[in-house]
């Protein structure tokens, strides 16, 4: 196979060999059609007329160029040809949004029984009727099965007209490789059956296809000795190959992105210059996949993603980019304005994002999440420790104290603070509030940051409130925990503050808390190293699996439909489990934590994205992974961060950070010991807490 065909990475072998003039299949398609490039021995013709004319009687013809006029259908009937005809996109066709493919007959055999779900991503499709439907598009809930059946509105994708000996497709199914339809193995089954039907051949037809975007290693592959080093290197390089660093020549596109829904629009291309961090960076990629296999970018600049990415580049000794990113934050709207006004209630806080307008009635830099702030600050502290830079320290400590002002008397905080109600109530209202919210998505990483701050300053309230909050949440576990996405994501988040509590107060009790949560989390660890997503009681969940087809895609959501679905979440669970277990071993010396972290690291090395065709994804980690079929697959119900999204912070940053720490044989706590001392802390503390 020549190089141009090899890039499509698919080859078909039939059990019988034919001379070229005896092949029982003929194609009508352009020379760049993906299916044709996967079938180099099959004769191809540019027009349907030629294909039908040259096809031997009684054989199969695949028309991949649109509908046939009646005269050609008549010729095909006269020659007893079996036809597969697929529509081509036009301006009048619809584009799939939340619809997924659903098998509606036994056409594909036991491997794909009725109600099996396939992805056709953003396929274009037209109307189709007048035959037996084998595959339809519909908005359905489910992981790999439509658990609530079909909704009233469906759109046939593949139908069979027995009287015409024809299969009709309303969309180009032959683009399954280029358009990255999934799961990959399921589409092999689809095409095996279509070809078997065309050839009127009951024998097994073997197709081997290598997806254009795929895991680096198989589940059973032995990893080379330098696998983690290579994975970390590719992960750092991904930020550049994805063109996430904004360059002055195309910075205007950030403002133009306001016209896109949720600021999701065409991603920077490979020919666009790469920035160096001085203008910040984009958030990552949306989960949407157009027909060319690309993915649009999320044109947001988020403080947490920028701070976490600075940490990654500092660990990789790309100091200039790391420092540029921190300097960008220091002068951004997220860090300035009301946030530098001592008379403003938001003094010291870090805004959520730099977008001109988040929703119609709010500015993104006037929204504050304690969790996002904590992860951003941990990234900035790590960058300061590794570079020895002191010029950011006052602003960092100001932010730490500003966040601590919003921690209540029970050591807990709200999930989110907005400028207007914060100004109305005042920070004292929240600092003296007895609020309790057992949601580790929002409590855990602020606790970790404050525990480190206590270690660095010996300021007792940091420890007192964190320990009280942690104790209350341990006692409330699991019945009174609020969970989003999964209970495993909550457990994974909790590991880091529990490990760092051992650092500052090493008692049998604190070690038992850490061990309890770790064991609960690892009870769901698969032999591959992946941790299966597991939901908690529906009554305490805020992002539960869809309870109907109508609720699929209606908001942020889980990757699974029900417990035991073989999906793991790299955005909310695996990343935080890895850093938590890494720090747990460093804090306690207990081998079980290291062994669990080793298994996770091996899984992540294997599951990292590999692509020759799409360099913007090479080295990334997608949110979802199905460890049973070893593919990027899950319920794509989440309206914003779906199964195939990338995130510069969160997943990419924390996974890469831990791989780098493992290579350095260090813990994050060890690195943070080197944060330069800030002599102005006491004065700043009195400024922020004048009553004390």
């Amino acid at each position: 196979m020549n190089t141009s065909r090899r890039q499509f990475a698919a080859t078909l072998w039939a059990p019988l060999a034919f001379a070229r003039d005896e092949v029982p299949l003929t194609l009508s398609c352009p020379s760049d059609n993906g299916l044709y490039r996967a079938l180099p021995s099959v004769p191809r013709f540019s027009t349907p007329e030629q294909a039908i004319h040259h096809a031997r009687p009684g054989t199969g013809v695949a028309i991949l160029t649109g509908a046939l006029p009646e005269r050609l259908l008549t010729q095909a009937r006269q020659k007893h040809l079996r036809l597969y005809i697929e529509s081509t996109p036009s301006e009048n066709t619809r584009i799939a949004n939340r619809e997924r493919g659903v098998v509606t007959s036994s056409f594909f055999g036991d491997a794909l029984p009725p109600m099996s779900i396939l992805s056709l991503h953003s396929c274009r499709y037209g109307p189709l009727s007048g035959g037996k439907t084998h595959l339809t598009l519909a908005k359905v809930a489910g992981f790999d099965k439509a658990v609530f059946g079909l909704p009233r509105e469906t759109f046939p994708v593949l139908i069979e007209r027995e009287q015409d000996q024809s299969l009709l497709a309303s969309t180009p199914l032959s683009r399954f490789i280029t358009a990255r339809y999934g799961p990959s193995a399921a589409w092999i089954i689809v095409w095996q059956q279509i070809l078997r039907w065309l050839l009127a051949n009951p024998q097994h037809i073997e197709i081997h296809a290598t997806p254009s975007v795929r895991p680096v290693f198989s589940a059973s592959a032995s990893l080379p000795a330098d696998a983690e080093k290579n994975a970390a290197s590719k992960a750092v390089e991904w930020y550049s190959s994805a063109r996430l660093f904004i360059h002055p020549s195309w910075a205007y596109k950030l403002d133009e992105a306001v016209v896109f829904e949720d600021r999701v629009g065409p991603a920077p291309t490979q020919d666009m210059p790469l920035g160096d961090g001085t203008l910040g960076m984009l958030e990552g990629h949306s989960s949407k996949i157009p027909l060319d296999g690309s993915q649009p970018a999320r044109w947001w600049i988020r403080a947490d993603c920028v701070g976490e990415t600075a940490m990654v580049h500092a660990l990789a000794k790309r100091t200039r980019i790391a420092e540029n990113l921190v300097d960008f934050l220091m002068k951004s709207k997220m860090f300035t304005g009301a946030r530098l006004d001592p008379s403003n209630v938001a003094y010291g806080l870090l805004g959520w994002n730099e977008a001109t307008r988040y929703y119609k009635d709010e500015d993104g830099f006037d929204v504050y999440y304690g969790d996002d702030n904590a992860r951003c600050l941990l990234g900035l502290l790590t960058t300061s420790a590794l570079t020895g830079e002191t010029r950011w320290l006052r602003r960092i400590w100001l932010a730490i104290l500003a966040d601590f002002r919003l921690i209540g008397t029970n050591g807990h905080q709200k999930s989110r603070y907005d400028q207007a109600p914060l100004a109305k109530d005042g920070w004292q209202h929240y600092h003296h509030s007895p609020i309790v919210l057992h949601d580790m998505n929002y409590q855990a990483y602020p606790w970790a940051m404050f525990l480190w701050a206590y270690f660095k300053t010996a300021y007792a309230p940091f420890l007192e409130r964190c320990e009280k909050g942690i104790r209350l949440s341990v006692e409330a576990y699991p019945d009174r925990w609020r969970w989003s996405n999964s209970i495993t994501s909550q457990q994974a988040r909790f590991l880091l503050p529990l490990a760092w509590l051992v650092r500052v107060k090493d008692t049998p009790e604190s070690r038992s808390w850490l061990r309890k949560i770790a064991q609960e989390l690892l009870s769901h660890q698969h032999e591959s190293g992946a941790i299966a997503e597991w939901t908690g009681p529906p009554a305490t969940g805020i992002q539960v699996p869809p309870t109907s087809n109508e609720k699929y895609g209606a908001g942020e959501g889980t990757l699974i439909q029900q417990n035991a679905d073989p999906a793991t979440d790299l955005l909310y669970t695996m990343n935080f489990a890895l850093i938590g277990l890494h720090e747990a071993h460093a804090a306690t010396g207990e081998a079980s934590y290291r062994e669990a972290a080793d298994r996770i690291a091996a899984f992540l090395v294997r599951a990292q994205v590999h692509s020759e065709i799409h360099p913007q994804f090479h080295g990334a980690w997608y949110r979802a992974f199905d460890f049973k079929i070893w593919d990027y697959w899950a319920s794509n119900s989440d309206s914003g961060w779906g199964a195939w999204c990338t995130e510069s912070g969160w997943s990419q940053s924390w996974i890469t950070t831990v791989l780098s720490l493992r290579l350095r044989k260090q813990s994050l706590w060890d690195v943070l010991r080197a944060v330069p001392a800030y002599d102005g802390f006491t004065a700043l503390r009195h400024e922020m807490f004048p009553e004390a």
Side-chain angles (χ1 to χ4, degrees), residues 133 167 299 326 377 416 422 462 626 654:
T133 301
L167 285 175
W299 289 80
V326 181
L377 290 167
R416 162 178 168 161
L422 187 61
F462 282 145
D626 184 324
W654 285 102

mmCIF file with all atom_site columns, all heavy atoms in Angstrom, residues 133 167 299 326 377 416 422 462 626 654:
data_model
loop_
_atom_site.group_PDB
_atom_site.id
_atom_site.type_symbol
_atom_site.label_atom_id
_atom_site.label_alt_id
_atom_site.label_comp_id
_atom_site.label_asym_id
_atom_site.label_entity_id
_atom_site.label_seq_id
_atom_site.pdbx_PDB_ins_code
_atom_site.Cartn_x
_atom_site.Cartn_y
_atom_site.Cartn_z
_atom_site.occupancy
_atom_site.B_iso_or_equiv
_atom_site.pdbx_formal_charge
_atom_site.auth_seq_id
_atom_site.auth_comp_id
_atom_site.auth_asym_id
_atom_site.auth_atom_id
_atom_site.pdbx_PDB_model_num
ATOM 1  N N   . THR A 1 133 ? -35.569 -0.370 8.040  1.00 0.00 ? 133 THR A N   1
ATOM 2  C CA  . THR A 1 133 ? -34.505 0.409  8.673  1.00 0.00 ? 133 THR A CA  1
ATOM 3  C C   . THR A 1 133 ? -33.596 -0.499 9.504  1.00 0.00 ? 133 THR A C   1
ATOM 4  O O   . THR A 1 133 ? -34.066 -1.228 10.381 1.00 0.00 ? 133 THR A O   1
ATOM 5  C CB  . THR A 1 133 ? -35.095 1.511  9.570  1.00 0.00 ? 133 THR A CB  1
ATOM 6  O OG1 . THR A 1 133 ? -35.913 2.369  8.775  1.00 0.00 ? 133 THR A OG1 1
ATOM 7  C CG2 . THR A 1 133 ? -33.983 2.328  10.210 1.00 0.00 ? 133 THR A CG2 1
ATOM 8  N N   . LEU A 1 167 ? -29.213 -1.314 -0.629 1.00 0.00 ? 167 LEU A N   1
ATOM 9  C CA  . LEU A 1 167 ? -29.067 -0.674 0.673  1.00 0.00 ? 167 LEU A CA  1
ATOM 10 C C   . LEU A 1 167 ? -28.880 0.815  0.419  1.00 0.00 ? 167 LEU A C   1
ATOM 11 O O   . LEU A 1 167 ? -28.056 1.207  -0.412 1.00 0.00 ? 167 LEU A O   1
ATOM 12 C CB  . LEU A 1 167 ? -27.845 -1.208 1.431  1.00 0.00 ? 167 LEU A CB  1
ATOM 13 C CG  . LEU A 1 167 ? -27.918 -2.595 2.055  1.00 0.00 ? 167 LEU A CG  1
ATOM 14 C CD1 . LEU A 1 167 ? -26.566 -2.957 2.648  1.00 0.00 ? 167 LEU A CD1 1
ATOM 15 C CD2 . LEU A 1 167 ? -28.991 -2.643 3.135  1.00 0.00 ? 167 LEU A CD2 1
ATOM 16 N N   . TRP A 1 299 ? -12.792 28.684 22.961 1.00 0.00 ? 299 TRP A N   1
ATOM 17 C CA  . TRP A 1 299 ? -12.086 29.970 22.957 1.00 0.00 ? 299 TRP A CA  1
ATOM 18 C C   . TRP A 1 299 ? -12.308 30.714 24.268 1.00 0.00 ? 299 TRP A C   1
ATOM 19 O O   . TRP A 1 299 ? -12.827 31.825 24.302 1.00 0.00 ? 299 TRP A O   1
ATOM 20 C CB  . TRP A 1 299 ? -12.535 30.802 21.758 1.00 0.00 ? 299 TRP A CB  1
ATOM 21 C CG  . TRP A 1 299 ? -12.024 30.246 20.463 1.00 0.00 ? 299 TRP A CG  1
ATOM 22 C CD1 . TRP A 1 299 ? -12.527 29.198 19.740 1.00 0.00 ? 299 TRP A CD1 1
ATOM 23 C CD2 . TRP A 1 299 ? -10.872 30.701 19.747 1.00 0.00 ? 299 TRP A CD2 1
ATOM 24 N NE1 . TRP A 1 299 ? -11.776 28.973 18.610 1.00 0.00 ? 299 TRP A NE1 1
ATOM 25 C CE2 . TRP A 1 299 ? -10.749 29.878 18.586 1.00 0.00 ? 299 TRP A CE2 1
ATOM 26 C CE3 . TRP A 1 299 ? -9.942  31.711 19.944 1.00 0.00 ? 299 TRP A CE3 1
ATOM 27 C CZ2 . TRP A 1 299 ? -9.732  30.047 17.652 1.00 0.00 ? 299 TRP A CZ2 1
ATOM 28 C CZ3 . TRP A 1 299 ? -8.931  31.891 19.020 1.00 0.00 ? 299 TRP A CZ3 1
ATOM 29 C CH2 . TRP A 1 299 ? -8.830  31.069 17.892 1.00 0.00 ? 299 TRP A CH2 1
ATOM 30 N N   . VAL A 1 326 ? 2.390   33.062 33.845 1.00 0.00 ? 326 VAL A N   1
ATOM 31 C CA  . VAL A 1 326 ? 2.098   33.654 35.152 1.00 0.00 ? 326 VAL A CA  1
ATOM 32 C C   . VAL A 1 326 ? 2.038   35.174 35.039 1.00 0.00 ? 326 VAL A C   1
ATOM 33 O O   . VAL A 1 326 ? 1.141   35.818 35.606 1.00 0.00 ? 326 VAL A O   1
ATOM 34 C CB  . VAL A 1 326 ? 3.137   33.221 36.195 1.00 0.00 ? 326 VAL A CB  1
ATOM 35 C CG1 . VAL A 1 326 ? 2.797   33.827 37.556 1.00 0.00 ? 326 VAL A CG1 1
ATOM 36 C CG2 . VAL A 1 326 ? 3.202   31.703 36.313 1.00 0.00 ? 326 VAL A CG2 1
ATOM 37 N N   . LEU A 1 377 ? -3.664  28.419 41.923 1.00 0.00 ? 377 LEU A N   1
ATOM 38 C CA  . LEU A 1 377 ? -2.622  28.859 42.859 1.00 0.00 ? 377 LEU A CA  1
ATOM 39 C C   . LEU A 1 377 ? -1.582  27.770 43.105 1.00 0.00 ? 377 LEU A C   1
ATOM 40 O O   . LEU A 1 377 ? -0.386  28.067 43.246 1.00 0.00 ? 377 LEU A O   1
ATOM 41 C CB  . LEU A 1 377 ? -3.271  29.302 44.170 1.00 0.00 ? 377 LEU A CB  1
ATOM 42 C CG  . LEU A 1 377 ? -4.067  30.614 44.060 1.00 0.00 ? 377 LEU A CG  1
ATOM 43 C CD1 . LEU A 1 377 ? -4.932  30.817 45.292 1.00 0.00 ? 377 LEU A CD1 1
ATOM 44 C CD2 . LEU A 1 377 ? -3.116  31.797 43.860 1.00 0.00 ? 377 LEU A CD2 1
ATOM 45 N N   . ARG A 1 416 ? -19.736 28.220 44.493 1.00 0.00 ? 416 ARG A N   1
ATOM 46 C CA  . ARG A 1 416 ? -19.409 29.331 43.607 1.00 0.00 ? 416 ARG A CA  1
ATOM 47 C C   . ARG A 1 416 ? -19.842 30.640 44.261 1.00 0.00 ? 416 ARG A C   1
ATOM 48 O O   . ARG A 1 416 ? -20.841 30.696 44.973 1.00 0.00 ? 416 ARG A O   1
ATOM 49 C CB  . ARG A 1 416 ? -20.124 29.140 42.267 1.00 0.00 ? 416 ARG A CB  1
ATOM 50 C CG  . ARG A 1 416 ? -20.246 30.367 41.398 1.00 0.00 ? 416 ARG A CG  1
ATOM 51 C CD  . ARG A 1 416 ? -20.915 30.040 40.090 1.00 0.00 ? 416 ARG A CD  1
ATOM 52 N NE  . ARG A 1 416 ? -21.282 31.256 39.368 1.00 0.00 ? 416 ARG A NE  1
ATOM 53 C CZ  . ARG A 1 416 ? -21.541 31.305 38.076 1.00 0.00 ? 416 ARG A CZ  1
ATOM 54 N NH1 . ARG A 1 416 ? -21.481 30.209 37.352 1.00 0.00 ? 416 ARG A NH1 1
ATOM 55 N NH2 . ARG A 1 416 ? -21.868 32.444 37.490 1.00 0.00 ? 416 ARG A NH2 1
ATOM 56 N N   . LEU A 1 422 ? -21.936 38.590 46.503 1.00 0.00 ? 422 LEU A N   1
ATOM 57 C CA  . LEU A 1 422 ? -20.787 38.685 47.397 1.00 0.00 ? 422 LEU A CA  1
ATOM 58 C C   . LEU A 1 422 ? -20.668 40.102 47.941 1.00 0.00 ? 422 LEU A C   1
ATOM 59 O O   . LEU A 1 422 ? -20.419 40.320 49.137 1.00 0.00 ? 422 LEU A O   1
ATOM 60 C CB  . LEU A 1 422 ? -19.520 38.283 46.639 1.00 0.00 ? 422 LEU A CB  1
ATOM 61 C CG  . LEU A 1 422 ? -18.221 38.162 47.447 1.00 0.00 ? 422 LEU A CG  1
ATOM 62 C CD1 . LEU A 1 422 ? -18.355 37.105 48.533 1.00 0.00 ? 422 LEU A CD1 1
ATOM 63 C CD2 . LEU A 1 422 ? -17.052 37.819 46.522 1.00 0.00 ? 422 LEU A CD2 1
ATOM 64 N N   . PHE A 1 462 ? -5.667  28.160 59.349 1.00 0.00 ? 462 PHE A N   1
ATOM 65 C CA  . PHE A 1 462 ? -5.608  27.335 58.135 1.00 0.00 ? 462 PHE A CA  1
ATOM 66 C C   . PHE A 1 462 ? -5.848  25.865 58.489 1.00 0.00 ? 462 PHE A C   1
ATOM 67 O O   . PHE A 1 462 ? -6.676  25.183 57.872 1.00 0.00 ? 462 PHE A O   1
ATOM 68 C CB  . PHE A 1 462 ? -4.246  27.469 57.450 1.00 0.00 ? 462 PHE A CB  1
ATOM 69 C CG  . PHE A 1 462 ? -4.045  28.727 56.647 1.00 0.00 ? 462 PHE A CG  1
ATOM 70 C CD1 . PHE A 1 462 ? -2.798  29.323 56.593 1.00 0.00 ? 462 PHE A CD1 1
ATOM 71 C CD2 . PHE A 1 462 ? -5.086  29.295 55.932 1.00 0.00 ? 462 PHE A CD2 1
ATOM 72 C CE1 . PHE A 1 462 ? -2.584  30.468 55.846 1.00 0.00 ? 462 PHE A CE1 1
ATOM 73 C CE2 . PHE A 1 462 ? -4.880  30.445 55.176 1.00 0.00 ? 462 PHE A CE2 1
ATOM 74 C CZ  . PHE A 1 462 ? -3.634  31.041 55.135 1.00 0.00 ? 462 PHE A CZ  1
ATOM 75 N N   . ASP A 1 626 ? -13.149 3.847  27.284 1.00 0.00 ? 626 ASP A N   1
ATOM 76 C CA  . ASP A 1 626 ? -13.803 2.570  27.558 1.00 0.00 ? 626 ASP A CA  1
ATOM 77 C C   . ASP A 1 626 ? -12.714 1.510  27.649 1.00 0.00 ? 626 ASP A C   1
ATOM 78 O O   . ASP A 1 626 ? -12.113 1.137  26.647 1.00 0.00 ? 626 ASP A O   1
ATOM 79 C CB  . ASP A 1 626 ? -14.792 2.249  26.429 1.00 0.00 ? 626 ASP A CB  1
ATOM 80 C CG  . ASP A 1 626 ? -15.599 0.974  26.685 1.00 0.00 ? 626 ASP A CG  1
ATOM 81 O OD1 . ASP A 1 626 ? -15.034 0.022  27.259 1.00 0.00 ? 626 ASP A OD1 1
ATOM 82 O OD2 . ASP A 1 626 ? -16.765 0.923  26.280 1.00 0.00 ? 626 ASP A OD2 1
ATOM 83 N N   . TRP A 1 654 ? -2.627  17.896 35.204 1.00 0.00 ? 654 TRP A N   1
ATOM 84 C CA  . TRP A 1 654 ? -2.316  17.104 36.391 1.00 0.00 ? 654 TRP A CA  1
ATOM 85 C C   . TRP A 1 654 ? -1.718  15.746 36.028 1.00 0.00 ? 654 TRP A C   1
ATOM 86 O O   . TRP A 1 654 ? -0.828  15.244 36.728 1.00 0.00 ? 654 TRP A O   1
ATOM 87 C CB  . TRP A 1 654 ? -3.560  16.944 37.266 1.00 0.00 ? 654 TRP A CB  1
ATOM 88 C CG  . TRP A 1 654 ? -3.854  18.225 37.990 1.00 0.00 ? 654 TRP A CG  1
ATOM 89 C CD1 . TRP A 1 654 ? -4.804  19.141 37.679 1.00 0.00 ? 654 TRP A CD1 1
ATOM 90 C CD2 . TRP A 1 654 ? -3.126  18.755 39.109 1.00 0.00 ? 654 TRP A CD2 1
ATOM 91 N NE1 . TRP A 1 654 ? -4.733  20.207 38.537 1.00 0.00 ? 654 TRP A NE1 1
ATOM 92 C CE2 . TRP A 1 654 ? -3.707  20.002 39.436 1.00 0.00 ? 654 TRP A CE2 1
ATOM 93 C CE3 . TRP A 1 654 ? -2.046  18.311 39.864 1.00 0.00 ? 654 TRP A CE3 1
ATOM 94 C CZ2 . TRP A 1 654 ? -3.247  20.803 40.484 1.00 0.00 ? 654 TRP A CZ2 1
ATOM 95 C CZ3 . TRP A 1 654 ? -1.592  19.101 40.910 1.00 0.00 ? 654 TRP A CZ3 1
ATOM 96 C CH2 . TRP A 1 654 ? -2.177  20.322 41.217 1.00 0.00 ? 654 TRP A CH2 1
#
